[in-house]
Amino acid sequence: MLDPLPGLGRLIRALDGRRSERTIRADAARDGLGPGVVEVVLAALRSARLVTDLDPADLLAMGAGPAAVARAAVELPSAAVVPRSAVWRNRASAAVVVDGATRVGVPLAAVLAASGVGRVVVRDEGSVRAADAVVGGLTADDEGRPRSSAAADAVRRVSPSTDQRPLPPGVPPDLTVLARPWAASDPVAVRSVDGGAVLVATVRGETGVVGPLVVPGATSCLRCADLHRRDADGRWPGLAAQLVTAEPPASGSTLTCLLTALLAAGQVLAYLDDAGAPLTLDASVELRPPDLIPRVRRWPPHPSCGCGAARPEQSPAEDADPLPPGGESSPQGRMGR
Ligand SMILES: [Zn+2]
């Protein structure tokens, strides 16, 4: 193709994320392109979203070495569309703990690491079982290995420079993801959270559940949701106690687990990026097969909960259900049809 304007091809090739706009304009002028032409070209590329303006702080936070820069270069433009400055630097300084090296938790941790979250720690005990293997998470070869180190390898495969060291005692992460099947119903699991925001992301039975995202003191909490369930059915406390007593087998298809992990990752990044109110504040999203179309359930603050989120005019939970999200009455959907 003919170059319609001398120097135009060089101008476009120079937009590689490594040069400042001032340098690009100076080089274009040297190539004989008038400032008006450069202005029109840059405006057209910006409006078509073919060019994204990057914050200098984000460029500095891309990590050392050509491989880290190459990985960040494919992720950063999507992050940079958030109307907030230095979003990549902000992700690089964030710490997220994933509680549960599950078929949701491990791919979720890997996606967060690949998306620039600087510190991602997967917590779990015990050994990997054959059914834990999932695309982007634990592998078939991991069977029998300690869950936490196999999960760390899954994160390292996509992002070798991510910090995976446990946080010092008493230092809360920016967010903890509860990825065990019944973690949100288990007071012990919730007590193990060291503070900061909490997001539920799991597959219960065959249903993916993302949310609520709990920002302490500002949104409804896991106890609020539990109280709504108690209001709807007095049998709920007994059922919840049974559900959390034993470690359930892995469940959920690969498709359900990965969609759940990706939806959860989007909520985590929306929270870290401060990109507007995430969908799962005071709510959870369920993904049920076969269509896996997201269904939102509201969990407003409960007036009897002491978390401080309830406001006097609060109405009862919409669509409150005595059964947990997923509606399964047996742990992990082992019932036949
Ligand atoms: Zn509450």
Side-chain angles (χ1 to χ4, degrees):
M1 202 176 94
L2 288 174
D3 197 347
L5 278 170
L8 184 59
R10 244 195 315 273
L11 166 66
I12 290 170
R13 281 194 296 277
L15 299 168
D16 61 358
R18 294 165 187 274
R19 296 167 174 81
S20 70
E21 186 170 343
R22 197 190 331 181
T23 304
I24 286 165
R25 287 179 183 275
D27 289 349
R30 214 168 22 249
D31 287 340
L33 283 177
V37 174
V38 174
E39 195 61 49
V40 168
V41 170
L42 291 180
L45 292 171
R46 280 190 177 110
S47 71
R49 298 218 164 202
L50 292 170
V51 164
T52 308
D53 290 306
L54 298 179
D55 191 299
D58 282 342
L59 293 172
L60 289 172
M62 282 169 86
V69 170
R71 283 191 294 273
V74 289
E75 301 284 346
L76 208 159
S78 294
V81 298
V82 172
R84 185 185 189 283
S85 63
V87 68
W88 193 260
R89 183 184 62 182
N90 190 51
R91 288 186 190 179
S93 64
V96 175
V97 168
V98 177
D99 188 62
T102 60
R103 283 162 60 82
V104 173
V106 181
L108 165 62
V111 170
L112 293 177
S115 303
V117 177
R119 193 164 189 167
V120 180
V121 183
V122 182
R123 279 196 313 222
D124 208 337
E125 291 165 0
S127 332
V128 178
R129 301 161 298 185
D132 292 324
V134 70
V135 176
L138 303 176
T139 70
D141 289 342
D142 287 328
E143 187 181 354
R145 293 184 62 203
R147 301 177 73 82
S148 56
S149 55
D153 284 348
V155 171
R156 204 172 293 118
R157 277 194 288 276
V158 292
S159 183
S161 54
T162 298
D163 185 356
Q164 298 195 64
R165 292 170 300 158
L167 286 128
V171 176
D174 294 283
L175 189 142
T176 300
V177 181
L178 299 177
R180 299 174 203 266
W182 297 104
S185 310
D186 183 350
V188 176
V190 176
R191 270 207 303 274
S192 73
V193 173
D194 297 322
V198 172
L199 175 70
V200 173
T202 189
V203 171
R204 294 170 185 156
E206 300 305 323
T207 301
V209 182
V210 179
L213 169 56
V214 179
V215 182
T219 70
S220 75
C221 69
L222 300 178
R223 186 168 147 72
C224 286
D226 191 57
L227 287 168
H228 284 306
R229 292 191 182 106
R230 283 166 193 251
D231 289 348
D233 187 342
R235 295 168 300 172
W236 167 247
L239 179 57
Q242 287 173 38
L243 292 169
V244 300
T245 47
E247 180 73 16
S251 76
S253 69
T254 295
L255 188 57
T256 306
C257 291
L258 292 185
L259 270 177
T260 304
L262 291 172
L263 181 61
Q267 294 297 293
V268 173
L269 295 175
Y271 176 72
L272 296 180
D273 293 349
D274 198 11
L279 177 64
T280 51
L281 295 175
D282 294 345
S284 55
V285 179
E286 295 182 12
L287 301 160
R288 292 189 192 204
D291 57 28
L292 297 168
I293 291 171
R295 172 173 170 248
V296 179
R297 297 180 68 170
R298 302 278 165 205
W299 302 105
H302 194 284
S304 303
C305 185
C307 67
R311 293 169 290 278
E313 71 278 14
Q314 208 65 56
S315 60
E318 295 168 34
D319 194 16
D321 189 319
L323 293 176
E328 306 285 349
S329 59
S330 87
Q332 296 308 290
R334 277 174 286 181
M335 291 185 301
R337 282 176 186 270

